[in-house]
């Protein structure tokens, strides 16, 4: 076992063989600040740091002189504080991650010096921070153990009310510490890593951090903020790490970095939240809000809001891995219309190139002889085309020589043996270098050629991992790896909007700021009940991390146990369809047949649910607009509407769909589940039955054609109750308002007449 359960080794990453660290790594621990001064509109603290001996016991190395660094505290608006310190290098005032709203402006701070503390406040007298300089009270009687070292101690008040305390003395005895209030680590004498900790309450709960396939309350876990190919939705790897968490104590924290980082949410110590980032800079935004939605809103004020994707994108997307010819696609489109399945998008995955998986951004001329006419013909029938591609260049690709000679892709230092899996970055010769403006323009031109043909959307697959043993123009691979998704998706989004007028991509990877470029989907889920459950968990946490639009592969991406060929059970197909209907976007995709007519026993049920999806589009459109101006995602964890209800901080298999729907997917073959109805008056969307909340419904049964869905009583739901083949046929002036009152007897009576 390598795990030691000591913070020094397991969190700070010191080698358990300390002889390997002597003369190499050194921990520097913060002391009390020694000076305070103005720094522009902010306030600057001078903080000395004391080197520690190379030991699991935290003991000062007094043979080394202290070093002082400056902590800068700045305020933005009325509820955001920024705390920054650079041990080496500089703090970026701007980056690709930040897209501050116009109203987020820096506000002036001032300070007052008292004997045992300093007060930092804004110009209206609202206290923003207290710096504690006092000496702990003691009643001395023993010298068995040494006195504690000095520590940086402060309480931060982003909104003047919510308090966030720096974790100053999280320890057993002074030499056995479980958290560092503020510290850095040098490697070969050069600052290398930074860490900081904040006090946590015994019942504090945490959510967010990206697409986390975990329980709702993340307390007791440590997460590596390092994007990886998740290879499913049931493990610790994830495609979308977001350096932001939200606390039940009414605050959020955003780590402004793309460096590999760790986040311990009361794991290594139940008394502290701990941050470790693999760079000698800390740049933290702490934000408060009266509700989780307001905290996420403040986060989006810093990192950006999305635009509403085009209406057609909210219709059904049909795909599988993969379609290989225009004839095959035309047959599928014809049959969907013939059998009365409304659909808007046909996605071509890896098979539209000359060679499957060999991405060259060109149609196979034999199997797609006239792609522009092919796309145009489908558009006339109400279908738009989405295309798969990825950001890596293969040696066999037509663009390889140009990309290498013009340095549009990274320069790989060491060529590694390839495994030919087609699922790995290393299967390719290099990664497109989006840190290089000329490479960005070159990539945009590749997409522009396709978009000019009439292609409507680009699937920006992969991007979680890049070639690491390589050189990029303007960033180290270690800093670029997490940020890569943002640069990649931004380029595709911008050229798509430029050519088509519609801003969207279909993206898998993610980092802070990627929410500006929807739509993101949940990766390669197993076609199983646990794959469905894991997908929902990931989507809920992503929504709590600032992402408004999210989807998933219906009914799961890969088969179990046969990855490519396992048969999808009928009930799983239906239940995942229902989940998809109540998600911001719905796309069918996977390694085998996904078209509903291949499932004759359930085809009629699926058709009725697709029609329900289109009937709900006025409501979905209305709710989607909210995510462009608020902290709300379309698919929301219950805690966003009921933060005072402790139960809702634990529920990860139900959600709000917009403001008014409470959705509880069935995720088993028994057609039953427990349902929690939070406070309020609820009406069953399919039966009209009325119930009063805050209670559990145990063993709630729902036949295969129905789903546990409730609507808030007395709300009005805009719906489109005319039959259509696609969104092009919709006229929202014909939208009807359905009143969820005592006369409402269930929605199927309306849908089945379409």
């Amino acid at each position: 076992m390598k795990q030691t359960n000591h913070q020094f080794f397991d969190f700070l990453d010191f080698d358990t063989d300390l002889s390997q660290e002597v003369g190499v790594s050194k921990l520097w621990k913060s002391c009390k600040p020694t000076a305070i001064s103005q720094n522009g509109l902010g306030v600057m603290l001078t903080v000395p740091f004391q080197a520690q001996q190379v030991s699991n016991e935290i003991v000062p190395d007094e043979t080394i002189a202290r070093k002082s660094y400056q902590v800068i505290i700045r305020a933005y608006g009325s509820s955001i504080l920024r705390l920054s310190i650079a041990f080496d290098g500089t703090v970026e005032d701007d980056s690709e991650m930040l897209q501050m709203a116009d109203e987020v402006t820096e506000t002036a701070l001032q300070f007052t010096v008292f004997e045992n503390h300093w007060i930092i406040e804004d110009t209206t007298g609202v206290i923003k921070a207290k710096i504690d300089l006092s000496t702990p009270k003691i009643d001395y009687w023993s010298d068995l153990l040494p006195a504690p070292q000095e520590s940086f101690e402060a309480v931060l008040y982003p909104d003047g009310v919510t308090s966030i305390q720096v974790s100053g003395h999280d320890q057993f005895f002074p030499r056995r510490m479980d958290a560092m209030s503020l510290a850095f680590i040098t490697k070969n004498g050069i600052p290398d890593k930074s860490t900081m900790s904040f006090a946590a309450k015994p019942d504090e709960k945490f959510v967010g951090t990206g697409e986390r396939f975990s329980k709702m309350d993340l307390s007791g876990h440590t997460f590596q903020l390092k994007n990886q190919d998740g290879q499913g939705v049931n493990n610790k790897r994830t495609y979308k790490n977001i350096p932001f968490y939200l606390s039940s104590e009414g605050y959020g924290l955003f780590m402004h970095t793309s460096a590999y980082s760790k986040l311990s949410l009361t794991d290594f110590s139940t008394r502290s939240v701990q941050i470790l980032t693999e760079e000698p800079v800390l740049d933290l935004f702490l934000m408060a809000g009266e509700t989780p939605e307001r905290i996420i809103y403040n986060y989006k004020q810093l990192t950006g809001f999305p635009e509403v994707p085009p209406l057609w994108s909210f219709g059904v997307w049909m795909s599988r891995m993969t379609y290989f010819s225009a004839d095959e696609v035309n047959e599928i489109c014809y049959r969907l219309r013939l059998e009365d399945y409304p659909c808007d998008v046909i996605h071509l995955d890896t098979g539209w190139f000359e060679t499957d998986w060999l991405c060259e951004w060109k149609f196979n001329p034999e199997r797609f002889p006239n792609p522009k006419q092919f796309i145009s013909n489908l558009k006339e029938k109400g279908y738009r085309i989405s295309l798969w591609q990825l950001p890596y260049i293969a040696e066999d690709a037509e663009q390889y020589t140009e990309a290498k000679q013009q340095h549009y892709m990274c320069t790989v230092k060491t060529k590694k043996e390839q495994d030919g899996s087609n699922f790995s970055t290393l299967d390719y010769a290099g990664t497109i270098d989006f840190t290089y403006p000329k490479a960005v323009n070159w990539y945009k031109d590749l997409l522009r050629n396709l978009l000019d043909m009439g292609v409507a959307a680009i699937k920006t697959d992969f991007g979680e991992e890049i070639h690491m043993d390589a050189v990029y123009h303007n960033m180290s691979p270690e800093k670029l790896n997490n940020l890569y998704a943002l640069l990649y998706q931004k380029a595709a989004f911008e050229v798509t909007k430029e050519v088509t007028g519609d801003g969207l991509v279909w993206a898998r990877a993610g980092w802070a700021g990627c929410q500006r470029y929807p739509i993101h989907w949940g990766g390669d889920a197993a076609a199983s009940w646990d794959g469905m459950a894991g997908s929902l968990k990931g989507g809920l946490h992503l929504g709590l991390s600032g992402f408004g639009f999210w989807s998933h592969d219906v009914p799961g991406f890969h088969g179990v146990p046969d990855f490519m060929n396992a048969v999808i059970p009928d009930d799983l197909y239906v239940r995942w369809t229902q989940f998809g209907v109540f998600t911001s976007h719905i796309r069918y995709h996977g390694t085998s047949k996904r078209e509903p007519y291949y499932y004759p026993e359930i085809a009629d049920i699926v058709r009725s649910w697709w029609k329900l999806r289109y009937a709900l589009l006025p409501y979905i459109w209305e709710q989607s607009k909210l995510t462009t101006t608020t902290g709300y995602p379309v698919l929301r964890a219950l805690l966003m509407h009921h933060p005072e209800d402790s139960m809702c901080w634990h529920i990860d298999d139900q959600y709000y769909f917009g403001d008014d729907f409470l959705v509880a997917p069935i995720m088993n073959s028994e057609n039953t589940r427990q349902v929690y109805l939070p406070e309020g008056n609820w009406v069953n969307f399919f039966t009209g039955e009325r119930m009063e909340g805050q209670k559990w419904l145990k063993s709630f049964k729902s036949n295969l054609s129905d789903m546990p869905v409730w609507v808030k009583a007395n709300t009005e739901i805009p719906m489109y109750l005319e039959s259509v083949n696609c969104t092009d046929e919709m006229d929202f002036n014909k939208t009807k308002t359905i009143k969820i009152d005592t006369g409402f007897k269930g929605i199927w009576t309306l849908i089945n007449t379409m």
Side-chain angles (χ1 to χ4, degrees):
M1 292 178 64
K2 293 184 178 180
Q3 184 170 314
T4 68
N5 297 323
H6 286 288
Q7 187 247 20
F8 186 75
F9 298 119
D10 296 345
F11 188 71
L12 298 183
D13 291 331
F14 281 85
D15 196 311
T16 53
D17 181 0
L18 288 174
S19 66
Q20 301 296 315
E21 299 287 11
V22 175
V24 177
S25 300
K26 180 75 74 173
L27 173 66
W28 293 74
K29 184 178 174 296
S30 60
C31 307
K32 291 180 182 178
T34 56
I36 186 169
S37 61
Q38 293 294 148
N39 183 267
L41 295 177
V43 171
M44 181 171 70
L45 308 175
T46 299
V47 180
F49 288 77
Q50 175 66 62
Q52 306 295 307
Q53 296 179 18
V54 180
S55 167
N56 184 26
E57 292 201 348
I58 309 304
V59 181
D61 187 344
E62 296 178 348
T63 67
I64 301 176
R66 292 182 175 185
K67 294 182 179 181
S68 292
Y69 295 90
Q70 281 66 50
V71 173
I72 310 297
I73 298 177
R74 288 179 279 178
Y76 293 82
S78 61
S79 56
I80 300 174
L81 275 185
R82 185 177 188 178
L83 186 150
S84 309
I85 183 169
F87 301 104
D88 191 18
T90 58
V91 175
E92 290 185 81
D93 278 334
D94 194 14
S95 76
E96 288 286 352
M97 288 169 275
L98 295 178
Q99 192 179 87
M100 291 191 183
D102 291 340
E103 57 268 33
V104 179
T105 57
E106 186 175 357
T107 56
L109 295 178
Q110 58 195 18
F111 64 89
T112 306
V113 174
F114 296 93
E115 181 179 357
N116 292 319
H117 65 279
W118 300 331
I119 296 293
I120 300 172
E121 56 191 9
D122 65 18
T123 55
T124 67
V126 175
I127 294 176
K128 294 293 186 175
K130 292 181 180 179
I131 311 302
D132 187 359
L133 305 174
S134 64
T135 301
K137 293 181 179 180
I138 62 170
D139 182 9
Y140 182 82
W141 71 276
S142 172
D143 60 1
L144 178 63
L145 292 173
Q149 294 185 57
E150 292 181 33
S151 182
F152 176 72
E153 298 181 61
V155 182
L156 308 173
Y157 304 90
D159 60 353
V161 178
T162 304
S163 63
I164 308 168
Q165 182 177 348
V166 176
S167 185
H169 294 286
D170 190 339
Q171 62 193 49
F172 173 54
F173 56 86
R175 292 184 175 182
R176 180 68 74 200
M177 301 204 69
D178 291 323
M180 300 291 159
S181 64
L182 179 61
F184 69 97
I185 298 167
T186 57
K187 187 171 184 179
N188 297 319
I190 300 173
D192 182 57
K193 298 178 182 178
S194 314
T195 185
M196 191 168 187
S197 302
F198 298 94
K201 294 186 177 179
D203 62 345
E204 194 167 350
K205 294 166 280 289
F206 304 92
V207 296
T209 79
E211 183 186 48
R212 204 58 64 191
F213 308 125
S214 301
K215 294 292 186 181
M216 181 55 60
D217 177 15
L218 299 176
S219 61
H221 293 278
T222 296
F223 299 105
Q224 295 186 58
L225 302 182
K226 178 181 179 180
N227 281 358
Q228 295 174 276
D229 185 337
Q231 297 179 330
V233 298
N234 298 98
N235 57 70
K236 283 192 173 184
R237 298 181 300 274
T238 184
Y239 312 93
K240 308 173 192 67
N241 287 279
I242 308 301
F244 168 82
Y245 72 82
L246 189 153
S247 163
S248 61
E249 289 299 307
Y251 80 93
L253 185 147
F254 167 48
M255 302 167 60
H256 178 215
T257 182
S258 64
Y260 296 149
S261 304
K262 282 187 190 178
L263 187 57
S264 171
L265 301 172
T266 64
D267 181 16
F268 284 95
S269 170
T270 60
R271 294 176 288 210
S272 300
V273 173
Q274 302 185 55
I275 292 162
L276 177 73
T277 184
E278 293 185 5
E279 66 173 341
V281 174
L282 278 176
D283 190 19
L284 308 179
F285 289 86
L286 297 111
M287 58 215 74
E290 294 182 356
T291 64
E293 182 273 329
R294 283 293 92 180
I295 296 169
I296 296 170
Y297 171 78
N298 285 331
Y299 167 72
K300 291 166 75 174
Q301 288 272 88
L302 296 172
T303 58
F305 291 81
E307 301 176 24
V308 179
L311 178 63
W312 58 261
S313 73
F314 293 91
V316 173
W317 296 48
M318 178 51 63
S319 172
R320 73 167 97 135
M321 195 183 87
T322 178
Y323 303 135
F324 285 105
S325 71
D327 290 343
E328 182 183 18
V329 173
N330 286 330
E331 172 59 28
I332 290 165
C333 292
Y334 170 77
R335 189 164 178 184
L336 287 173
R337 290 285 187 261
L338 179 67
E339 301 191 16
D340 196 23
Y341 290 101
C343 182
D344 268 80
V345 184
I346 298 297
H347 171 71
L348 307 187
D349 216 58
T350 65
W352 61 280
F353 308 114
E354 181 73 29
T355 302
D356 189 17
W357 280 93
L358 181 59
C359 178
E360 296 180 298
W361 294 276
K362 288 187 176 182
F363 282 91
N364 181 301
E366 294 182 2
R367 294 184 279 110
F368 295 91
N370 190 338
K372 187 171 184 178
Q373 188 64 51
F374 161 71
I375 295 166
S376 175
N377 291 344
L378 287 178
K379 179 64 170 59
E380 290 177 1
K381 298 178 175 64
Y383 290 104
R384 287 166 172 83
I385 290 292
S386 164
L387 294 179
W388 178 92
Q389 49 83 81
L390 79 177
Y392 314 123
I393 308 292
E395 281 190 344
D396 295 336
E398 176 183 317
Q399 296 84 5
Y400 171 74
T401 300
E402 179 188 13
K404 185 175 181 179
Q405 291 178 349
Q406 299 299 322
H407 303 291
Y408 296 149
M409 68 181 191
C410 65
T411 301
V412 177
K413 296 179 182 178
T414 305
K415 181 175 173 58
K416 297 184 178 181
E417 291 295 323
Q418 310 303 306
D419 63 11
S421 69
N422 290 331
F423 291 95
S424 168
T425 307
L426 293 178
D427 289 334
Y428 297 88
T431 300
I432 297 175
D433 186 356
F434 288 105
T435 73
Y436 184 36
K438 290 184 178 180
V440 173
N441 291 333
W442 174 78
Y443 171 75
K444 285 184 174 181
D445 285 342
L446 292 174
L447 300 190
R448 187 177 286 107
N449 291 334
L450 299 167
L451 297 164
D452 283 339
M453 289 183 189
V455 170
I458 300 297
K459 178 177 174 180
T460 48
D461 204 357
F462 290 83
E464 305 87 4
E465 298 175 351
I466 62 176
H467 287 81
M468 297 301 295
D469 190 17
V471 176
Y472 297 82
H473 275 79
N474 294 307
M475 195 174 291
S476 70
E478 291 78 14
K479 291 292 295 290
L480 178 60
N481 193 163
N482 285 332
L483 190 64
Y484 190 83
L486 178 61
L487 304 180
Y488 170 34
Q489 291 159 25
K490 178 184 179 183
F493 183 95
E494 287 178 345
V495 70
T496 301
K497 187 173 182 181
E498 173 195 329
V499 175
T500 70
D502 293 333
L504 82 159
V505 292
W506 191 271
R508 191 175 75 172
W511 190 252
C514 281
Q515 74 274 1
R516 304 194 296 260
Y517 311 114
I519 305 151
H520 291 80
W521 100 97
D524 297 338
S528 62
W529 298 117
D530 49 29
M532 184 177 171
S535 294
L536 177 53
K537 287 180 172 70
L540 290 173
H541 279 294
L542 195 66
L544 291 163
S545 305
F547 285 67
F549 301 101
W550 172 80
S551 188
H552 42 90
D553 288 344
V554 183
F557 173 70
H558 70 88
V560 178
D562 189 312
F563 190 91
M564 297 297 295
N565 306 302
V567 175
I568 307 299
D570 282 358
D571 58 349
L572 178 70
Y573 190 104
V574 171
R575 293 304 189 189
W576 211 315
T577 290
Q578 295 167 348
F579 174 29
V581 165
F582 285 95
T583 307
S584 83
H585 289 78
I586 176 171
R587 183 185 77 151
Y588 288 75
H589 184 62
T591 56
S592 58
K593 296 173 182 176
R594 292 296 187 263
E595 296 75 25
Y597 46 75
Y598 287 114
Y599 301 82
E601 298 298 319
I602 56 169
D604 290 342
I605 296 176
V606 173
R607 182 185 299 105
S608 66
W609 278 87
W610 286 24
K611 288 179 176 291
L612 175 60
R613 171 70 183 191
Y614 280 77
L616 286 169
L617 285 183
Y619 173 81
I620 296 170
W621 183 252
E622 183 181 88
Q623 296 298 313
S624 294
K625 292 178 181 178
L626 290 178
T627 199
T628 68
T629 57
T630 70
Y632 284 123
V634 177
L635 189 147
R636 309 170 188 169
L638 268 59
L639 66 89
M640 293 198 74
H641 288 277
H642 306 278
E644 74 292 339
D645 186 341
S646 293
M647 186 62 66
C648 292
W649 286 84
H650 297 279
I651 292 176
D652 55 32
D653 60 355
Q654 298 178 214
Y655 58 92
Y656 269 85
F657 187 58
D659 286 337
D660 302 313
F661 283 91
L662 179 70
V663 181
I666 296 285
M667 293 186 283
N668 58 59
S669 293
E670 288 71 49
N671 296 322
T672 62
R673 60 161 295 154
Q674 291 192 17
V675 177
Y676 182 70
L677 291 182
E679 184 179 11
N681 295 311
W682 298 97
V683 179
N684 188 301
F685 191 51
F686 296 106
T687 68
E689 181 183 2
R690 302 173 73 88
M691 291 185 178
E692 186 174 344
Q694 209 168 9
K695 67 179 178 182
W696 282 97
L697 305 178
K698 296 184 177 181
S699 300
F700 186 87
K701 191 169 183 62
S702 178
N703 64 48
L704 193 60
S705 61
D706 286 341
M707 179 188 189
V709 176
W710 284 264
V711 192
K712 289 180 180 177
N714 301 316
T715 55
E716 295 183 347
I717 306 298
M719 297 187 69
Y720 199 88
L721 299 177
E722 297 190 15
S723 182
V724 296
N725 289 312
C726 62
T727 55
D728 287 347
E729 298 177 2
M730 300 180 79
D731 176 1
F732 272 21
N733 291 322
K734 298 179 180 179
T735 297
K736 304 292 185 183
T737 299
I738 306 302
K739 185 71 177 291
I740 309 300
D741 55 15
T742 54
F744 178 75
K745 302 303 180 185
I747 198 62
W748 283 135
T749 55
L750 299 174
I751 299 301
N752 289 335
T753 61
M754 291 171 59

